[in-house]
Structure formats: structure tokens, C-alpha cells
Amino acid sequence: MAPLGQAKKTTFLKARDDGTKIYSATMDPEWTIHVVPFGGFTLSLVLNAAIQYQQHTAHEDVIYITCFFLKAVVLSAERTELHVKPVRPGKTTGRFMNLKVDLFQDDVLKVTANLIFGSIPLETGPNLPSSHRPKCPLTLHPATAQTVEQFNKANFAKHTEWAVDKSVSKDGDGVVFGCWTGYADKSGTEKLEADTLGVFLDITISPFSVIADDPNWKGMNMWLPTLVMSLEFKVKLPLQSCVSESSPRGFAPTTLGQFNRKSHLRNGRYTDIVELWTAPCNIGDKECVVDEKWRERMVCVAVGGQMGLLVPAELNQRHSSPPDPKL
């Protein structure tokens, strides 16, 4: 039961002749919803193994990941392994590098992911002019924000925090949600790194919140298993390196802004789009001086989203013990 910085770590086991490297992982019981590992945490394990694979190469920075959840990842597995391999073995030049990562539990394929790596500081190409560059969509400054209780059944809640920005919600336009989120530990031990963003992408409000009073669903406990999750990284991490003329002070090292739009919930299946932004300070930082143009100074860190389901919570509980081999 460890903080994210420790729990996300994978360990190299062995290499194969075809270029595949195999890493082991531990499914930490704290990083779960009910009894099933949190989807964002599983994404972090995949990213950690892939980033290790690309260390000391010309393509060290993760640019993009799409992760398909084929079967529920469970705590009861004896072995969790991640098999990382290049899509085109032998290709080491060019702007991008493509990897494939498969997560197995006791030799059963549970998750498969495709990733693109590159070198973010060396990327060249056009950017939006300042006249068209979006502001941070959150309007509540984190210095004046107050943390609130996170969604129930999140067993990792003691390691994270969030403060909801109610001003971004729009009735009748899907489910729009904004918050400041990050680590509860402000000592500097925990860092916002590329392989941690999956967690903060996934910490969000449930679309069930707007249908909870529907007579057909009222009183029912729901679970939101992820089917597909994706994330595009816009800047190099960790965030301490994000210093520019527009933001000479840098950004908060343990806090992110999240803007989330869920739409088209139909037959229990929904899609959301998420933007993760830098924060001018940590939540409730009383020493931060609030300036009027703080929203213009913030930078979009990553853009992602997922397709998920709304299903009865009892389906989650079925994964609390090893499956019956007779089934």
C-alpha cells in the first residue's frame, strides 16, 4: 500500500530476442475502486514500463497512448507482467517511435496499448498564435479553492485531493466538470510525471450524478469500468521544467487543473474528453499572490479521454476473489 510514485513502478525481468522486454508489476490494493484496480492506475503501470523501455534512446518522451481494457485487471492474480516491444523492430531513427505494450495477469491478456514516443524539446512545427490560444477553462483560482471529499469507493483518496470549480458546469450541454486535483502530499516526494497523469485523467465526476434521481436508477450503486483510454502529452514532464516567458515562475509541482466533458450517455455507454492544465499554485496555497492574468499563463499539459460503461456496482465485487475455474 504505497503512494503513487512507488506503486506505479515496474521491474525489468528479462529480454527476448525479438526486442520484447518484460516487466513485472504489483497491483496495489489502495489504488482501486471497490476491489478493482483503478483504470488510471493501470494506465500508469503501462506508461512506466514503456518509459523504462525508451530510456537512453533518441525518443525518450511519451507523446501519445491508447489503452484498450480487454478484461478486468484484478488484485488476486499471482503474476502481473507487461510485455513491451517496438512495432517496427530495428527502427531507431525518425521523428517518432511506436511501441506496443501488453499487460498479462497469470498469462491472460488483460490490457493492450499502443504508444508513440518522440523528443518533445526537439519538436518543431506551428503553434496557435496567442490571439487564438485558449485560456485555462477553470476560473476558480486554486489558492482560494477548498478541497472536498472525493467520490466514494476510491481507496486511494488519502493520496489525492480535489477542489471542484462549480463555475464551469453547464446545464443542458452534457456533463461538464472542472476541478483542481493532485497529490495530498505537498512535501515534494510525489511528482507529476508522465506516468502519473493517467490517474489524474481518470479522477473525475461520474455521469451518473445527473441521472441519480431518475426513478429507474435512484438508489442504485454504479461502477464505471473503462473500455478505452487515451492521452496525448503536450509538454515535457515533470512540470518544474515548464518555464517560459509567459510563466517565469513555473507551475505548481503537485497540482493540475482538469476540465472534463462527458456526453452522449446512451445504453450505459459514454465518452468523455479531458484537458489537464498547469496550476499557478497548489490547492489552498495562502502565500500565492493571485494576478488577474493567471489563466492566460497556464499551459495545457495533456488532452485525453475515455470510453466507459455505467454498470451495477455488484459487477465490480465479483472480482474480489479468484475466478472459479469451472466457469
Side-chain angles (χ1 to χ4, degrees):
M1 294 185 286
L4 182 58
Q6 298 177 35
K8 68 172 183 176
K9 290 181 179 178
T10 58
T11 303
F12 173 73
L13 291 179
K14 59 183 178 181
R16 292 176 175 168
D17 293 338
D18 64 355
T20 300
K21 291 184 179 180
I22 300 175
Y23 301 81
S24 66
T26 300
M27 305 310 298
D28 193 301
E30 277 194 343
W31 291 94
T32 57
I33 298 292
H34 293 278
V35 298
V36 174
F38 190 42
F41 174 70
T42 301
L43 188 74
S44 289
L45 294 177
V46 172
L47 284 166
N48 183 266
I51 289 170
Q52 285 193 62
Y53 187 97
Q54 285 299 113
Q55 279 183 336
H56 312 303
T57 71
H59 308 88
E60 285 193 317
D61 300 317
V62 59
I63 303 291
Y64 188 82
I65 178 173
T66 297
C67 197
F68 296 87
F69 294 77
L70 308 178
K71 299 186 70 174
V73 179
V74 296
L75 295 175
S76 57
E78 293 184 5
R79 290 180 294 109
T80 298
E81 294 181 350
L82 297 105
H83 296 205
V84 186
K85 63 181 179 181
V87 173
R88 290 186 285 175
K91 180 184 181 298
T92 57
T93 60
R95 184 171 179 177
F96 299 118
M97 179 73 175
N98 295 78
L99 295 183
K100 186 174 188 292
V101 180
D102 290 328
L103 185 151
F104 293 87
Q105 288 196 305
D106 297 337
D107 299 322
V108 176
L109 179 61
K110 298 293 187 72
V111 175
T112 186
N114 291 288
L115 300 94
I116 301 173
F117 277 76
S119 181
I120 291 177
L122 299 180
E123 281 202 301
T124 58
N127 297 303
L128 281 178
S130 58
S131 59
H132 289 74
R133 197 173 301 151
K135 299 178 183 178
C136 175
L138 276 65
T139 59
L140 175 68
H141 195 285
T144 59
Q146 295 184 342
T147 57
V148 296
E149 184 179 357
Q150 297 177 56
F151 46 90
N152 61 1
K153 306 302 181 182
N155 298 316
F156 52 84
K158 72 177 183 180
H159 296 297
T160 60
E161 62 180 5
W162 72 359
V164 177
D165 184 350
K166 296 182 180 179
S167 66
V168 302
S169 63
K170 299 176 182 177
D171 295 334
D173 193 18
V175 181
V176 182
F177 174 75
C179 73
W180 297 105
T181 184
Y183 294 112
D185 181 3
K186 300 296 190 297
S187 67
T189 303
E190 294 286 84
K191 299 183 183 302
L192 292 170
E193 299 174 304
D195 56 4
T196 65
L197 291 198
V199 167
F200 299 106
L201 170 79
D202 207 13
I203 295 179
T204 185
I205 194 171
S206 164
F208 185 66
S209 62
V210 298
I211 64 170
D213 292 331
D214 187 309
N216 294 316
W217 304 101
K218 191 170 184 177
M220 181 175 288
N221 292 322
M222 305 298 286
W223 175 40
L224 281 72
T226 299
L227 298 182
V228 185
M229 188 179 293
S230 64
L231 193 58
E232 181 197 3
F233 298 81
K234 293 294 189 181
V235 299
K236 188 176 179 64
L237 297 161
L239 287 173
Q240 289 90 326
S241 63
C242 302
V243 178
S244 65
E245 291 183 6
S246 62
S247 185
R249 295 192 297 271
F251 307 114
T254 63
T255 301
L256 289 169
Q258 185 203 99
F259 179 77
N260 183 302
R261 182 187 299 277
K262 287 180 168 66
S263 56
H264 309 298
L265 172 63
R266 188 176 294 273
N267 299 322
R269 179 163 49 88
Y270 71 91
T271 302
D272 73 1
I273 299 174
V274 182
E275 296 178 5
L276 295 177
W277 287 75
T278 56
C281 66
N282 290 322
I283 299 172
D285 184 352
K286 303 303 182 185
E287 297 182 2
C288 178
V289 178
V290 180
D291 66 275
E292 293 183 355
K293 294 187 176 181
W294 68 270
R295 293 177 64 205
E296 286 89 338
R297 293 194 296 105
M298 296 303 101
V299 175
C300 183
V301 175
V303 178
Q306 62 179 294
M307 181 179 75
L309 297 176
L310 270 172
V311 297
E314 63 185 39
L315 296 180
N316 180 295
Q317 297 292 337
R318 293 180 185 179
H319 298 288
S320 61
S321 58
D324 188 338
K326 298 178 182 178
L327 299 178

Short mmCIF file of all heavy atoms in Angstrom, two decimals, residues 33-34 36 72 206-208 211 217 220-227 265 267-270 308-319:
data_model
loop_
_atom_site.label_atom_id
_atom_site.label_comp_id
_atom_site.label_asym_id
_atom_site.label_seq_id
_atom_site.Cartn_x
_atom_site.Cartn_y
_atom_site.Cartn_z
N ILE A 33 -10.90 0.99 -7.17
CA ILE A 33 -12.28 1.42 -6.95
C ILE A 33 -13.03 0.17 -6.52
O ILE A 33 -13.03 -0.82 -7.25
CB ILE A 33 -12.91 1.99 -8.23
CG1 ILE A 33 -12.14 3.22 -8.70
CG2 ILE A 33 -14.38 2.32 -8.00
CD1 ILE A 33 -12.27 4.43 -7.79
N HIS A 34 -13.64 0.20 -5.36
CA HIS A 34 -14.19 -1.01 -4.74
C HIS A 34 -13.03 -2.01 -4.62
O HIS A 34 -12.13 -1.80 -3.83
CB HIS A 34 -15.34 -1.59 -5.58
CG HIS A 34 -16.56 -0.73 -5.62
ND1 HIS A 34 -17.51 -0.73 -4.62
CD2 HIS A 34 -16.98 0.14 -6.56
CE1 HIS A 34 -18.48 0.13 -4.94
NE2 HIS A 34 -18.18 0.67 -6.10
N VAL A 36 -11.52 -3.40 -7.67
CA VAL A 36 -10.86 -3.49 -8.98
C VAL A 36 -9.85 -2.36 -9.13
O VAL A 36 -10.16 -1.21 -8.82
CB VAL A 36 -11.91 -3.43 -10.11
CG1 VAL A 36 -11.23 -3.37 -11.48
CG2 VAL A 36 -12.84 -4.64 -10.04
N ALA A 72 -11.15 -7.32 -17.00
CA ALA A 72 -10.88 -6.62 -15.74
C ALA A 72 -9.54 -7.05 -15.14
O ALA A 72 -9.26 -8.24 -15.00
CB ALA A 72 -12.01 -6.89 -14.75
N SER A 206 -18.76 11.28 -12.08
CA SER A 206 -19.48 10.26 -12.83
C SER A 206 -20.68 10.88 -13.54
O SER A 206 -21.38 11.71 -12.97
CB SER A 206 -19.97 9.16 -11.88
OG SER A 206 -20.96 8.37 -12.49
N PRO A 207 -20.95 10.45 -14.79
CA PRO A 207 -22.18 10.95 -15.45
C PRO A 207 -23.43 10.48 -14.73
O PRO A 207 -24.52 11.00 -14.96
CB PRO A 207 -22.08 10.35 -16.86
CG PRO A 207 -21.18 9.17 -16.73
CD PRO A 207 -20.20 9.54 -15.64
N PHE A 208 -23.28 9.50 -13.83
CA PHE A 208 -24.43 9.02 -13.07
C PHE A 208 -24.98 10.11 -12.16
O PHE A 208 -26.15 10.07 -11.75
CB PHE A 208 -24.03 7.80 -12.23
CG PHE A 208 -25.17 7.16 -11.49
CD1 PHE A 208 -26.19 6.54 -12.19
CD2 PHE A 208 -25.23 7.19 -10.12
CE1 PHE A 208 -27.25 5.95 -11.51
CE2 PHE A 208 -26.29 6.61 -9.44
CZ PHE A 208 -27.30 5.97 -10.14
N ILE A 211 -28.19 11.56 -13.41
CA ILE A 211 -29.36 10.69 -13.59
C ILE A 211 -29.71 9.96 -12.29
O ILE A 211 -30.59 9.11 -12.28
CB ILE A 211 -29.14 9.65 -14.71
CG1 ILE A 211 -27.99 8.70 -14.35
CG2 ILE A 211 -28.89 10.33 -16.04
CD1 ILE A 211 -27.89 7.52 -15.29
N TRP A 217 -33.20 4.56 -11.79
CA TRP A 217 -31.84 4.34 -11.30
C TRP A 217 -31.64 4.78 -9.86
O TRP A 217 -30.60 4.49 -9.27
CB TRP A 217 -30.85 5.09 -12.20
CG TRP A 217 -30.96 4.73 -13.64
CD1 TRP A 217 -31.58 5.44 -14.62
CD2 TRP A 217 -30.47 3.54 -14.26
NE1 TRP A 217 -31.50 4.79 -15.81
CE2 TRP A 217 -30.82 3.61 -15.63
CE3 TRP A 217 -29.76 2.44 -13.79
CZ2 TRP A 217 -30.49 2.61 -16.53
CZ3 TRP A 217 -29.43 1.44 -14.69
CH2 TRP A 217 -29.79 1.53 -16.03
N MET A 220 -29.44 3.15 -6.83
CA MET A 220 -28.56 2.09 -7.34
C MET A 220 -27.10 2.53 -7.28
O MET A 220 -26.76 3.67 -7.63
CB MET A 220 -28.93 1.72 -8.77
CG MET A 220 -28.07 0.60 -9.35
SD MET A 220 -28.61 0.07 -11.01
CE MET A 220 -30.13 -0.79 -10.58
N ASN A 221 -26.23 1.65 -6.83
CA ASN A 221 -24.80 1.90 -6.86
C ASN A 221 -24.25 1.49 -8.21
O ASN A 221 -24.57 0.41 -8.72
CB ASN A 221 -24.09 1.12 -5.75
CG ASN A 221 -24.45 1.63 -4.37
OD1 ASN A 221 -24.58 2.83 -4.17
ND2 ASN A 221 -24.61 0.72 -3.42
N MET A 222 -23.41 2.36 -8.78
CA MET A 222 -22.90 2.12 -10.12
C MET A 222 -21.37 2.04 -10.12
O MET A 222 -20.69 2.59 -9.27
CB MET A 222 -23.35 3.22 -11.07
CG MET A 222 -24.86 3.45 -11.14
SD MET A 222 -25.78 2.02 -11.74
CE MET A 222 -25.39 2.08 -13.49
N TRP A 223 -20.85 1.34 -11.12
CA TRP A 223 -19.41 1.21 -11.36
C TRP A 223 -19.14 1.67 -12.78
O TRP A 223 -19.96 1.43 -13.68
CB TRP A 223 -18.98 -0.24 -11.16
CG TRP A 223 -17.54 -0.54 -11.49
CD1 TRP A 223 -16.46 0.23 -11.21
CD2 TRP A 223 -17.06 -1.72 -12.14
NE1 TRP A 223 -15.31 -0.38 -11.66
CE2 TRP A 223 -15.64 -1.58 -12.23
CE3 TRP A 223 -17.66 -2.86 -12.66
CZ2 TRP A 223 -14.83 -2.55 -12.81
CZ3 TRP A 223 -16.86 -3.83 -13.23
CH2 TRP A 223 -15.46 -3.69 -13.31
N LEU A 224 -17.99 2.35 -12.99
CA LEU A 224 -17.65 2.88 -14.30
C LEU A 224 -16.39 2.21 -14.85
O LEU A 224 -15.30 2.78 -14.81
CB LEU A 224 -17.42 4.39 -14.23
CG LEU A 224 -18.64 5.30 -14.20
CD1 LEU A 224 -19.35 5.23 -12.86
CD2 LEU A 224 -18.23 6.73 -14.51
N PRO A 225 -16.47 0.99 -15.35
CA PRO A 225 -15.29 0.36 -15.94
C PRO A 225 -14.90 1.04 -17.25
O PRO A 225 -15.77 1.44 -18.04
CB PRO A 225 -15.72 -1.09 -16.17
CG PRO A 225 -17.21 -1.02 -16.32
CD PRO A 225 -17.65 0.10 -15.41
N THR A 226 -13.60 1.17 -17.47
CA THR A 226 -13.08 1.80 -18.69
C THR A 226 -12.89 0.75 -19.77
O THR A 226 -12.36 -0.33 -19.52
CB THR A 226 -11.74 2.49 -18.40
OG1 THR A 226 -11.94 3.51 -17.42
CG2 THR A 226 -11.17 3.14 -19.65
N LEU A 227 -13.30 1.07 -20.99
CA LEU A 227 -13.05 0.21 -22.14
C LEU A 227 -11.84 0.68 -22.94
O LEU A 227 -11.01 -0.12 -23.36
CB LEU A 227 -14.28 0.18 -23.05
CG LEU A 227 -15.57 -0.39 -22.45
CD1 LEU A 227 -16.67 -0.40 -23.49
CD2 LEU A 227 -15.34 -1.78 -21.89
N LEU A 265 -24.24 9.84 -23.22
CA LEU A 265 -24.51 8.63 -22.45
C LEU A 265 -25.74 7.96 -23.04
O LEU A 265 -26.84 8.51 -23.00
CB LEU A 265 -24.73 8.98 -20.97
CG LEU A 265 -25.21 7.82 -20.08
CD1 LEU A 265 -24.17 6.72 -20.03
CD2 LEU A 265 -25.51 8.34 -18.67
N ASN A 267 -27.51 3.92 -23.44
CA ASN A 267 -27.46 2.49 -23.17
C ASN A 267 -26.29 2.12 -22.26
O ASN A 267 -25.67 1.06 -22.40
CB ASN A 267 -27.37 1.69 -24.47
CG ASN A 267 -28.58 1.90 -25.35
OD1 ASN A 267 -29.71 2.01 -24.86
ND2 ASN A 267 -28.37 1.99 -26.65
N GLY A 268 -25.97 3.03 -21.33
CA GLY A 268 -24.92 2.76 -20.35
C GLY A 268 -23.51 3.00 -20.84
O GLY A 268 -22.56 2.77 -20.09
N ARG A 269 -23.33 3.48 -22.08
CA ARG A 269 -22.00 3.71 -22.62
C ARG A 269 -21.81 5.21 -22.86
O ARG A 269 -22.67 5.86 -23.43
CB ARG A 269 -21.84 2.92 -23.92
CG ARG A 269 -20.50 3.10 -24.61
CD ARG A 269 -20.26 1.98 -25.63
NE ARG A 269 -21.39 1.76 -26.51
CZ ARG A 269 -21.60 2.40 -27.65
NH1 ARG A 269 -20.75 3.35 -28.03
NH2 ARG A 269 -22.64 2.12 -28.41
N TYR A 270 -20.65 5.73 -22.42
CA TYR A 270 -20.41 7.17 -22.53
C TYR A 270 -18.98 7.43 -23.04
O TYR A 270 -18.11 6.56 -23.01
CB TYR A 270 -20.60 7.87 -21.18
CG TYR A 270 -19.51 7.55 -20.18
CD1 TYR A 270 -18.36 8.34 -20.09
CD2 TYR A 270 -19.62 6.46 -19.32
CE1 TYR A 270 -17.36 8.04 -19.18
CE2 TYR A 270 -18.63 6.15 -18.42
CZ TYR A 270 -17.51 6.94 -18.36
OH TYR A 270 -16.50 6.63 -17.47
N GLY A 308 -16.32 4.56 -21.58
CA GLY A 308 -16.57 3.71 -20.43
C GLY A 308 -18.02 3.29 -20.35
O GLY A 308 -18.86 3.68 -21.17
N LEU A 309 -18.30 2.51 -19.34
CA LEU A 309 -19.64 1.98 -19.12
C LEU A 309 -20.15 2.39 -17.76
O LEU A 309 -19.37 2.63 -16.82
CB LEU A 309 -19.64 0.45 -19.20
CG LEU A 309 -19.25 -0.21 -20.52
CD1 LEU A 309 -19.23 -1.72 -20.35
CD2 LEU A 309 -20.21 0.19 -21.63
N LEU A 310 -21.47 2.46 -17.64
CA LEU A 310 -22.14 2.57 -16.34
C LEU A 310 -22.84 1.24 -16.10
O LEU A 310 -23.78 0.89 -16.83
CB LEU A 310 -23.17 3.70 -16.36
CG LEU A 310 -22.70 5.09 -15.95
CD1 LEU A 310 -23.79 6.11 -16.22
CD2 LEU A 310 -22.31 5.12 -14.48
N VAL A 311 -22.37 0.49 -15.11
CA VAL A 311 -22.94 -0.83 -14.83
C VAL A 311 -23.17 -0.96 -13.33
O VAL A 311 -22.58 -0.22 -12.52
CB VAL A 311 -22.00 -1.96 -15.32
CG1 VAL A 311 -21.83 -1.90 -16.83
CG2 VAL A 311 -20.64 -1.88 -14.62
N PRO A 312 -24.01 -1.88 -12.88
CA PRO A 312 -24.23 -2.07 -11.45
C PRO A 312 -22.93 -2.40 -10.72
O PRO A 312 -22.09 -3.14 -11.21
CB PRO A 312 -25.21 -3.25 -11.40
CG PRO A 312 -25.92 -3.20 -12.71
CD PRO A 312 -24.89 -2.72 -13.70
N ALA A 313 -22.77 -1.82 -9.52
CA ALA A 313 -21.54 -1.99 -8.75
C ALA A 313 -21.27 -3.44 -8.38
O ALA A 313 -20.13 -3.82 -8.13
CB ALA A 313 -21.60 -1.13 -7.49
N GLU A 314 -22.30 -4.26 -8.35
CA GLU A 314 -22.10 -5.66 -7.98
C GLU A 314 -21.18 -6.39 -8.96
O GLU A 314 -20.52 -7.38 -8.61
CB GLU A 314 -23.43 -6.40 -7.91
CG GLU A 314 -24.18 -6.48 -9.24
CD GLU A 314 -25.55 -7.11 -9.10
OE1 GLU A 314 -26.24 -6.84 -8.11
OE2 GLU A 314 -25.90 -7.90 -9.99
N LEU A 315 -21.09 -5.89 -10.20
CA LEU A 315 -20.18 -6.49 -11.17
C LEU A 315 -18.72 -6.28 -10.75
O LEU A 315 -17.86 -7.10 -11.04
CB LEU A 315 -20.42 -5.90 -12.56
CG LEU A 315 -21.79 -6.18 -13.18
CD1 LEU A 315 -21.90 -5.54 -14.56
CD2 LEU A 315 -22.05 -7.68 -13.28
N ASN A 316 -18.45 -5.15 -10.09
CA ASN A 316 -17.11 -4.90 -9.56
C ASN A 316 -16.78 -5.89 -8.46
O ASN A 316 -15.69 -6.47 -8.42
CB ASN A 316 -17.06 -3.46 -9.03
CG ASN A 316 -15.70 -3.08 -8.47
OD1 ASN A 316 -15.27 -3.63 -7.46
ND2 ASN A 316 -15.05 -2.11 -9.10
N GLN A 317 -17.72 -6.14 -7.57
CA GLN A 317 -17.48 -7.00 -6.42
C GLN A 317 -17.20 -8.44 -6.83
O GLN A 317 -16.57 -9.19 -6.08
CB GLN A 317 -18.69 -6.96 -5.48
CG GLN A 317 -18.96 -5.59 -4.88
CD GLN A 317 -17.88 -5.15 -3.91
OE1 GLN A 317 -17.17 -5.98 -3.35
NE2 GLN A 317 -17.76 -3.85 -3.70
N ARG A 318 -17.63 -8.84 -8.01
CA ARG A 318 -17.37 -10.21 -8.46
C ARG A 318 -15.89 -10.49 -8.65
O ARG A 318 -15.49 -11.65 -8.72
CB ARG A 318 -18.11 -10.48 -9.78
CG ARG A 318 -19.63 -10.48 -9.65
CD ARG A 318 -20.27 -10.74 -10.99
NE ARG A 318 -21.73 -10.64 -10.91
CZ ARG A 318 -22.55 -10.80 -11.95
NH1 ARG A 318 -22.04 -11.06 -13.15
NH2 ARG A 318 -23.85 -10.68 -11.81
N HIS A 319 -15.09 -9.43 -8.75
CA HIS A 319 -13.66 -9.60 -8.97
C HIS A 319 -12.86 -9.59 -7.66
O HIS A 319 -11.64 -9.47 -7.68
CB HIS A 319 -13.13 -8.49 -9.88
CG HIS A 319 -13.76 -8.49 -11.25
ND1 HIS A 319 -13.48 -9.44 -12.20
CD2 HIS A 319 -14.68 -7.67 -11.81
CE1 HIS A 319 -14.18 -9.20 -13.29
NE2 HIS A 319 -14.92 -8.13 -13.08
#
